[in-house]
């Protein structure tokens, strides 16, 4: 049996009594709750219900609650009916396991807590007891009585899906320090206090085998305001060193309205530690954690600097690549040995290196058939001779955005570097766009 | 003087035939290019040491191949692009690419990665570290055990100095119907490696990769046929 329900007609008008009584029952069961109708629920799941009920009855007796009825059943609905509508002369009604539906069946549908409108409808249809309702098909009930009818149909079959006992959220680690005799204005002392609090919180996390994804620093000010600063980590961590580095960065930027009278450091979001399965022959596996941590630290410090290219089909090379930020864990995984295993060593190729922005140059040209080709150009470093030059490769477009028309040339500079220059055919100006390296 | 140095070297080699200079007694990260590894003192880029590469062409190609070879070998490689010059069109999966926002950030990134000990090869390009910054990098690289290569002109603190240039006469072109150059197919890179007691050089022939230049099919623009002067 799982649910124990306590009820007395007195509690309908005096719900406060039930609320006062509930804490006393925590000596008997791990969880106790009350509902809007003044019932007390005790969670006896996993316990010997006979002993639990005996203990509860004893508590009632001690507190002078002599008219309390107790119902115990596998389902909340049966326990509720047992307490409210069971035998009047019996203090405790046990519903035998597996007989909840049978126990509920002879009772009037009114015990299910239907609305007056639905009760009228049920009465008009000739459904008087829970058993009458339970015998119908779900589809028929849904068509005739709607959503509420289906809910009652489930209850009438002792199929109770209500969550009587909600999950109790676990308290996250935190540490605080308040002082009343003086106010704090010295940043170094503040860091000292935060460091001590961080030590306590990280130790608590270590003991639980967890890491913090987000923490909050709450500074209580002398003007009774609070200054709350949240720090989110790229990679969940319980490292005090990492926390302090981030918190120092926050403190460097913050301006407070008054002196500090208290500090609270609390964990806002936690994550369990991940222990991935490793490959014995993976040379990079042993250092994967350290690598991931280093990359996460860089992102925390500098923002998104881990990038991978996403290529598009844009005709202009400088617009063809979109850089997308990557997570350290994903990159470490992809850059591990699994990526390279079995791949043939790559041969080097001279590839095009682009300038961040095309730089204007002065060009001397000579005529070749129907076009001009560059033979010398001058940039910030001076004049450069171009030996062999190929081109032009012409590209144009951008009617609906920003029109462009370019004639690209590749030329070998006197120092051997193959450069990529183009003439903007719309404006007649020349630019150097990149080089092969 | 050169004669006396040569004589002294010959004498030392004769007396201590198995001796190696300290800078050569390190493990190395192979570049994956046999011809290059052959001219490097310890058969590759030395671990725990700074190598400085003065490039007039070819270094990026060789170091990208070295990064891929490192990944293929089961280690990690990182490329810190201090100038944002690495084109996404030609970047291959494998090495981790970092694009810090400023040279100072790039140096901090390099130091952090080197100290982590999780990388076999780290390449720092697009900035010129000052001497004090180079000292910090050498300490970090010694601590982490990676091979660090900087693409910079400052080589004074490096245990291995490399220089490369593309030979202007080494290009091989595919010709157009008029006999002029159309597409450069390959180039010859001259690489010199220098370390205390070490000086070697080689020529590497490297193909040239060309991106796909997509031409517009729009016939309305006048410049489709070029502009006459």
């Amino acid at each position: 049996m799982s649910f124990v329900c306590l009820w007395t007609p007195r509690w309908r008008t005096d719900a406060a009594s039930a609320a006062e009584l509930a804490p006393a029952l925590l000596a008997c069961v791990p969880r106790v709750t009350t509902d809007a109708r003044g019932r007390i629920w005790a969670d006896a799941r996993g316990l010997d219900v006979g002993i639990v009920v005996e203990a509860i009855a004893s508590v009632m007796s001690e507190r002078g609650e002599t008219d309390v009825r107790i119902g115990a059943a596998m389902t909340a609905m049966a326990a509720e009916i047992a307490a409210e509508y069971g035998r009047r002369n019996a203090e405790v009604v046990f519903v035998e396991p597996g007989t909840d539906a049978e126990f509920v069946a002879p009772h009037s549908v009114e015990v299910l807590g239907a609305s007056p409108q639905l009760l009228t409808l049920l009465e008009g249809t000739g459904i008087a007891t829970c058993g009458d309702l339970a015998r119908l098909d779900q589809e028929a009930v849904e068509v005739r009585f709607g959503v509420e009818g289906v809910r009652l149909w489930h209850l009438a079959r002792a199929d109770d899906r209500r969550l009587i006992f909600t999950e109790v959220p676990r308290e996250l680690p935190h540490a605080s320090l308040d002082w009343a005799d003086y106010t704090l204005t010295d940043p170094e002392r503040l860091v000292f206090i935060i460091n001590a609090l961080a030590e306590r919180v990280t130790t608590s996390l270590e003991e639980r085998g967890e890491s913090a994804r987000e923490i909050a620093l709450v500074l209580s000010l002398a003007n009774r305001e609070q200054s709350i600063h949240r720090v989110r980590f790229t990679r969940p961590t319980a490292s005090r060193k990492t926390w302090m580095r981030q918190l120092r960065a926050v403190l460097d930027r913050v301006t407070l309205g008054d002196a500090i009278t208290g500090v609270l450091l609390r964990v806002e979001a936690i994550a369990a530690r991940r222990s991935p399965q490793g490959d014995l022959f993976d040379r990079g596996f042993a250092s994967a954690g350290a690598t991931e941590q280093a990359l996460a630290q860089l992102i925390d410090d500098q923002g998104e600097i881990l990038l991978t290219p996403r290529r598009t089909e844009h005709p202009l090379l400088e617009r063809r690549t979109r850089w997308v930020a990557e997570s350290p864990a994903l990159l470490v995984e992809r850059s591990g040995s699994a990526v390279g295993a079995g791949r043939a060593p790559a041969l080097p190729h001279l590839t095009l290196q682009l300038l961040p922005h095309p730089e204007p140059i002065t060009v001397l040209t000579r005529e070749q058939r129907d076009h001009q080709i560059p033979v010398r150009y001058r940039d910030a470093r001076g004049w450069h001779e171009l030996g062999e030059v190929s081109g032009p490769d012409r590209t144009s477009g951008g009617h609906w955005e920003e029109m462009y028309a370019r004639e690209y040339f590749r030329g070998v500079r006197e120092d051997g570097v193959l450069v990529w220059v183009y003439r903007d055919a719309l404006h007649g100006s020349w630019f150097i766009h990149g080089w092969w390296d | 003087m050169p004669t006396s140095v040569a004589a002294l070297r010959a004498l030392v080699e004769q007396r201590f035939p198995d001796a190696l200079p300290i800078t050569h007694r390190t493990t190395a990260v192979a570049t994956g290019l046999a011809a290059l590894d052959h001219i490097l003192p310890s058969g590759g880029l030395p671990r725990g040491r700074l190598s400085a590469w003065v490039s007039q062409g070819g270094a990026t190609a060789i170091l990208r191949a070295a990064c891929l070879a490192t990944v293929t070998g089961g280690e990690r490689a990182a490329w810190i692009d201090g100038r944002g010059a690495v084109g996404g069109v030609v970047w291959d999966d494998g090495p981790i690419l970092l694009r810090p926002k400023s040279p100072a950030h790039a140096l901090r990134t390099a130091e952090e990665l080197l100290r982590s000990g999780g990388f076999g090869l780290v390449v720092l390009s697009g900035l010129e570290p000052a001497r004090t910054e180079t000292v910090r990098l050498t300490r970090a690289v010694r601590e982490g055990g990676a091979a660090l290569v900087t693409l910079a002109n400052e080589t004074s603190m490096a245990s291995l100095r490399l220089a490369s240039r593309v030979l202007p006469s080494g290009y091989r072109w595919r010709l157009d119907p008029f006999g002029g150059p159309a597409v450069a197919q390959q180039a010859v890179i001259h690489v010199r490696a220098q370390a205390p007691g070490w000086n070697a050089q080689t020529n590497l022939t490297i193909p040239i990769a060309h991106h796909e230049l997509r031409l517009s099919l729009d016939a309305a623009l006048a410049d489709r046929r070029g502009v006459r002067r």
Side-chain angles (χ1 to χ4, degrees):
Chain A
M1 295 193 194
S2 302
F3 296 93
V4 177
C5 182
L6 289 80
W7 183 80
T8 173
R10 200 161 35 81
W11 289 346
R12 277 183 179 164
T13 54
D14 188 14
S17 305
E20 286 172 15
L21 192 60
L25 298 180
L26 285 172
C28 312
V29 287
R31 288 199 289 183
V32 176
T33 187
T34 58
D35 65 17
R37 294 176 64 183
R39 290 181 293 243
I40 298 178
W41 292 92
D43 187 0
R45 285 176 287 188
L47 302 175
D48 185 328
V49 76
I51 296 171
V52 168
V53 167
E54 195 177 323
I56 289 173
S58 171
V59 170
M60 294 292 126
S61 172
E62 282 173 14
R63 298 179 70 94
E65 300 278 353
T66 54
D67 57 345
V68 175
R69 300 178 201 169
I70 302 174
M74 288 291 287
T75 61
M77 192 69 238
E80 180 183 323
I81 293 173
E84 279 198 52
Y85 305 98
R87 291 173 305 226
R88 300 291 168 91
N89 56 351
E91 278 187 354
V92 181
V93 176
F94 289 100
V95 179
E96 288 299 317
T99 65
D100 291 29
E102 291 171 28
F103 177 79
V104 171
H107 290 87
S108 165
V109 287
E110 291 179 24
V111 304
L112 301 176
S115 65
Q117 295 83 354
L118 187 60
L119 277 177
T120 308
L121 202 57
L122 289 170
E123 192 181 352
T125 324
I127 298 170
T129 65
C130 294
D132 295 340
L133 182 59
R135 273 192 290 276
L136 300 177
D137 293 334
Q138 182 180 356
E139 191 180 343
V141 172
E142 189 172 357
V143 169
R144 288 170 179 79
F145 307 119
V147 176
E148 189 187 357
V150 173
R151 184 179 64 81
L152 293 185
W153 178 77
H154 279 293
L155 293 175
R157 295 163 61 90
D159 178 12
D160 194 346
R161 301 179 179 185
R162 292 175 297 172
L163 289 174
I164 304 296
F165 303 102
T166 53
E167 290 292 327
V168 180
R170 197 170 50 157
E171 191 180 33
L172 294 174
H174 64 275
S176 64
L177 187 66
D178 293 283
W179 49 93
D181 298 339
Y182 64 97
T183 56
L184 181 67
T185 53
D186 183 3
E188 286 305 315
R189 286 189 182 184
L190 176 62
V191 171
F192 181 81
I193 291 167
I194 293 172
N195 190 38
L197 297 179
E199 176 73 36
R200 281 164 54 189
V201 179
T202 52
T203 305
S204 173
L205 277 175
E206 291 277 359
E207 287 168 354
R208 294 158 60 142
E210 291 170 336
S211 300
R213 183 171 286 285
E214 185 177 336
I215 60 173
L217 175 69
V218 183
L219 303 173
S220 301
L221 306 181
N223 59 9
R224 298 192 175 182
E225 288 182 356
Q226 280 193 330
S227 179
I228 302 174
H229 310 276
R230 288 188 169 77
V231 175
R232 192 171 174 80
F233 303 105
T234 310
R235 184 174 185 266
T237 175
S239 160
R240 183 177 55 83
K241 190 180 160 191
T242 308
W243 286 28
M244 286 310 297
R245 193 181 60 251
Q246 293 292 307
L247 289 169
R248 275 177 194 275
V250 168
L251 291 174
D252 283 346
R253 294 192 300 267
V254 73
T255 305
L256 299 174
D258 208 337
I260 299 166
T261 59
V263 181
L264 165 65
L265 187 64
R266 67 169 180 245
V267 175
E268 297 278 276
I270 58 172
R273 291 210 180 136
R274 202 165 58 92
S275 300
Q277 182 77 32
D279 182 347
L280 194 63
F281 302 101
D282 181 354
R283 294 169 68 189
F285 177 73
S287 57
T291 308
E292 196 181 329
Q293 193 165 4
L295 294 173
Q297 189 170 318
L298 287 171
I299 292 178
D300 286 339
D301 291 346
Q302 302 182 26
E304 301 296 352
I305 61 167
L306 283 176
L307 302 168
T308 53
R310 293 276 184 280
R311 289 146 193 155
T312 67
E313 294 296 317
H314 199 285
L316 294 182
L317 211 59
E318 71 266 28
R319 297 190 200 169
R320 200 177 289 180
T321 304
R322 191 165 55 88
W323 293 97
V324 182
E326 288 278 14
S327 76
L330 192 66
L331 265 183
V332 167
E333 200 173 312
R334 279 170 47 193
S335 68
S337 63
V339 172
R343 191 162 70 179
L347 291 173
H349 283 80
L350 288 183
T351 52
L352 184 61
Q353 312 293 306
L354 290 180
L355 289 165
H357 304 285
E359 291 176 2
I361 52 174
T362 305
V363 172
L364 295 181
T365 61
R366 69 174 167 81
E367 192 163 331
Q368 179 173 290
R369 295 187 295 280
D370 65 339
H371 55 267
Q372 300 285 326
I373 65 166
V375 291
R376 294 182 77 195
Y377 76 87
R378 190 179 70 185
D379 59 11
R381 291 185 301 165
W383 282 99
H384 303 280
E385 297 287 339
L386 292 177
E388 292 160 305
V389 176
S390 71
D393 297 319
R394 292 171 177 136
T395 183
S396 61
H399 279 293
W400 292 273
E401 303 162 347
E402 185 183 348
M403 261 176 59
Y404 60 85
R406 297 178 182 176
E407 295 178 337
Y408 276 101
F409 296 87
R410 301 161 207 214
V412 179
R413 222 162 49 186
E414 73 275 5
D415 59 0
V417 176
L418 184 64
V419 294
W420 202 39
V421 299
Y422 74 86
R423 176 179 167 273
D424 183 341
L426 296 178
H427 305 100
S429 46
W430 285 84
F431 296 86
I432 182 164
H433 201 168
W435 73 100
W436 271 261
D437 192 7
Chain B
M1 186 70 177
T3 311
S4 60
V5 170
L8 182 60
R9 184 174 290 168
L11 182 63
V12 169
E13 285 177 0
Q14 188 184 0
R15 291 283 300 274
F16 308 101
D18 298 328
L20 274 175
I22 292 172
T23 51
H24 306 170
R25 293 183 210 150
T26 58
T27 54
V29 178
T31 64
L33 302 170
L36 180 62
D37 288 340
H38 184 69
I39 66 160
L40 299 178
S42 42
L45 300 164
R47 289 181 191 272
R49 303 291 163 84
L50 167 67
S51 303
W53 195 312
V54 180
S55 174
Q56 287 185 318
T60 303
I62 294 168
L63 287 172
R64 278 183 57 233
C67 284
L68 287 168
T70 305
V71 173
T72 305
E75 291 186 278
R76 291 187 183 80
W79 190 294
I80 303 165
D81 182 18
R83 196 165 59 166
V86 172
V89 181
V90 295
W91 185 256
D92 295 315
D93 271 347
I96 293 175
L97 177 65
L98 298 104
R99 291 164 64 101
K101 294 177 178 65
S102 69
H105 282 115
L107 289 165
R108 258 179 255 157
T109 301
E111 193 174 4
E112 188 71 39
L113 295 187
L114 291 168
R115 283 193 201 282
S116 75
F119 292 87
L121 175 60
V122 176
V123 178
L124 179 60
S125 71
L127 70 153
E128 289 284 343
R131 278 176 177 257
T132 51
E133 293 160 349
T134 310
V135 171
R136 288 188 62 149
L137 288 178
T138 54
R139 285 178 185 163
V141 75
R142 188 165 294 139
E143 194 177 312
L148 170 65
V149 183
T150 58
L151 280 168
N153 293 320
E154 173 62 46
T155 62
S156 58
M157 305 282 294
S159 68
L160 173 65
R161 296 188 298 279
L162 292 140
S164 66
R165 63 189 173 90
V166 188
L167 299 180
S169 57
Y171 283 95
R172 197 178 79 187
W173 294 85
R174 184 159 59 79
L175 302 179
D176 63 17
F178 304 100
V183 177
Q185 292 179 313
Q186 65 181 39
V188 177
I189 313 293
H190 178 78
V191 184
R192 176 186 287 272
Q194 289 179 304
W198 188 273
N199 189 355
Q201 54 190 321
T202 188
N203 285 342
L204 303 170
T205 301
I206 294 182
I208 299 172
H210 294 281
H211 57 276
E212 180 195 5
L213 186 63
R214 297 182 64 246
L215 302 180
S216 171
L217 298 178
D218 188 343
L221 278 177
D223 70 296
R224 283 285 298 145
R225 296 162 294 162
V227 181
R228 291 184 180 279
R229 306 288 168 93

